[in-house]
Amino acid sequence: MENVLRPLIVVGGAVVLTLLIGWATDLLLRKADTRHSETPLWGLLRRGRIPYQLVLCAALLRGSYDQAELIREHRTAVGQVLTLMLIGSAAWLVVRIAAAVVESTYDRYARVHHDAARVRRVRTQVSLIMRVVTAIVGVVAVAAMLLTFPAMRAAGASLLASAGILGIVAGVAAQSTLANMFAGLQIAFGDMVRLGDTVVVDGEWGTVEEITLTFLTVRTWDERRITMPVSYFTSKPFENWSRGTPQMTGIVYWHVDHSAPIEAMREKLQDILRTCPAWDGRAHGLVVTDSTPNTVQVRALVTAKDADDIWTVRVTVREQMITWLNAEHPYALPRVNTADAVLPPGAIIPSQDGAQDGAAAAADRRLHEPPRTGRG
């Protein structure tokens, strides 16, 4: 009877005690979260209740398993498994606690500071710091697990002796990976590009959606994802529309006929912008910037508070101006002129026999009739 009750009491007691301590801790965290609503720290710490209970259970079982006298022939293997479980759950708990502290700090910073650029910068740094912390904790946990095996401890001397050669080989093999990792840290603390920034990379316009230690993801306007190594942003030029102030100036071009009413187009531009909510009211203008044999190029300058609004203003101005020209001034739209030129009154056109009859020739040309020629 004792052989049955002893393991049942030891294992069952460890499980029950784990559940009770876990429930009491979670209750305290919920009360603290309700009492201190100004910070999300206590609520975020509740995310670690599962690894916390695993740590408690593994620690209790590891300490009391010898008294259970269960599966004595595999006592060493069971103890090894419990030790590995304890190390793994402890690493998981450390990562959850670090994430809760970092996220609550970022939340407090974001509520105090209203500068969107600074908030995005801190957000980028916090994200990469958490990835570094997770990687370090993971490496330490794996190393601790390996050191629990006697064979790994015996091989430590030989591993240290060959560490120099292995380090050189690993450095050459992982050169690109290490370059990307250092580039990720440079991006995080060099304020080169941040989460949420609007960038143009290789002709693609989008928003920075994710930054890791090795790659960066840009979400384009048509919901595509462009993933590239972070070393790209430290070695090649790119456009960052969110750098500095988010205010932007946009350009809209039209090609119109030489007879287009430029002054009326300026007035129409003002009317369009007054009814466009995305225009910030800072500046606008319309000028003729180029001329070709068939058209003139008209450029409008408009402003907006950020990249999204400048796109809205540009497409609105372009569309409504073309619609207005088509309805009110259709002659101003580009067209190919295939008619003969109209000569001014009184122009003299020499005939084939040398006679000069300018007035008649001009009238005939205006009527699209062939000119009269003399007879020999």
Side-chain angles (χ1 to χ4, degrees), residues 14 58 92 142 177 196 242 248 252 277 281 286 298 310 331 342 350:
W92 187 7
V142 172
T177 302
S242 302
M248 296 195 66
V252 183
L286 188 144
V298 179
I310 199 64
Y331 61 88
V342 178

Side-chain angles (χ1 to χ4, degrees), residues 34-363:
T34 304
R35 186 175 304 173
H36 302 281
S37 58
E38 71 281 358
T39 175
L41 175 62
W42 306 108
L44 293 173
L45 285 175
R46 294 185 61 205
R47 297 180 183 177
R49 57 183 178 271
I50 294 179
Y52 175 66
Q53 292 178 355
L54 287 177
V55 169
L56 290 176
C57 186
L60 291 173
L61 288 176
R62 186 68 181 87
S64 61
Y65 179 75
D66 292 338
Q67 282 70 32
E69 297 182 358
L70 183 65
I71 317 179
R72 296 179 180 179
E73 62 274 13
H74 300 290
R75 180 183 303 175
T76 303
V78 174
Q80 185 73 20
V81 171
L82 291 175
T83 301
L84 295 177
M85 183 185 299
L86 178 60
I87 295 174
S89 57
W92 187 7
L93 179 61
V94 170
V95 171
R96 285 296 178 88
I97 294 176
V101 173
V102 170
E103 289 184 25
S104 62
T105 304
Y106 166 74
D107 182 77
R108 188 182 303 111
Y109 182 88
R111 284 186 297 177
V112 173
H113 296 80
H114 301 287
D115 187 352
R118 293 181 62 184
V119 172
R120 287 200 304 271
R121 177 183 179 183
V122 173
R123 180 185 173 191
T124 303
Q125 295 175 352
V126 164
S127 176
L128 291 179
I129 287 174
M130 271 309 305
R131 293 181 186 275
V132 172
V133 170
T134 303
I136 293 175
V137 172
V139 170
V140 172
V142 172
M145 289 180 180
L146 293 177
L147 290 176
T148 60
F149 295 93
M152 296 301 298
R153 291 197 298 267
S158 60
L159 289 176
L160 290 175
S162 59
I165 299 176
L166 291 177
I168 295 175
V169 174
V172 174
Q175 183 177 3
S176 60
T177 302
L178 292 175
N180 283 326
M181 291 182 63
F182 285 116
L185 295 175
Q186 183 178 353
I187 285 177
F189 296 98
D191 199 24
M192 189 177 303
V193 62
R194 300 154 299 196
L195 292 172
D197 279 3
T198 301
V199 297
V200 179
V201 182
D202 284 342
E204 295 285 352
W205 177 87
T207 305
V208 178
E209 185 177 54
E210 183 181 7
I211 300 177
T212 69
L213 289 177
T214 56
F215 68 88
L216 185 148
T217 302
V218 176
R219 186 185 74 247
T220 62
W221 64 272
D222 54 355
E223 301 299 329
R224 290 181 292 117
R225 302 298 192 277
I226 302 177
T227 301
M228 55 187 61
V230 292
S231 58
Y232 176 93
F233 291 86
T234 59
S235 59
K236 296 183 180 180
F238 64 96
E239 296 183 30
N240 189 342
W241 291 6
S242 302
R243 187 77 174 177
T245 60
Q247 297 175 344
M248 296 195 66
T249 299
I251 299 175
V252 183
Y253 285 105
W254 297 278
H255 291 274
V256 296
D257 191 76
H258 289 79
S259 59
I262 303 300
E263 192 59 39
M265 291 180 66
R266 291 192 178 98
E267 297 177 359
K268 183 60 180 178
L269 176 63
Q270 296 180 6
D271 296 338
I272 295 173
L273 292 177
R274 290 192 189 100
T275 59
C276 182
W279 181 54
D280 62 359
R282 286 190 296 122
H284 71 280
L286 188 144
V287 294
V288 177
T289 56
D290 197 4
S291 176
T292 67
N294 295 321
T295 61
V296 293
Q297 185 184 70
V298 179
R299 184 192 69 184
L301 292 179
V302 293
T303 59
K305 65 180 180 65
D306 54 30
D308 292 335
D309 282 355
I310 199 64
W311 172 263
T312 303
V313 175
R314 290 176 61 197
V315 297
T316 301
V317 168
R318 184 184 295 111
E319 178 182 346
Q320 293 191 19
M321 184 67 75
I322 292 176
T323 302
W324 175 75
L325 288 175
N326 190 41
E328 302 294 335
H329 304 279
Y331 61 88
L333 298 177
R335 59 183 183 273
V336 179
N337 190 1
T338 59
D340 294 333
V342 178
L343 299 179
I348 300 176
I349 304 299
S351 60
Q352 291 181 358
D353 60 353
Q356 296 180 349
D357 193 359

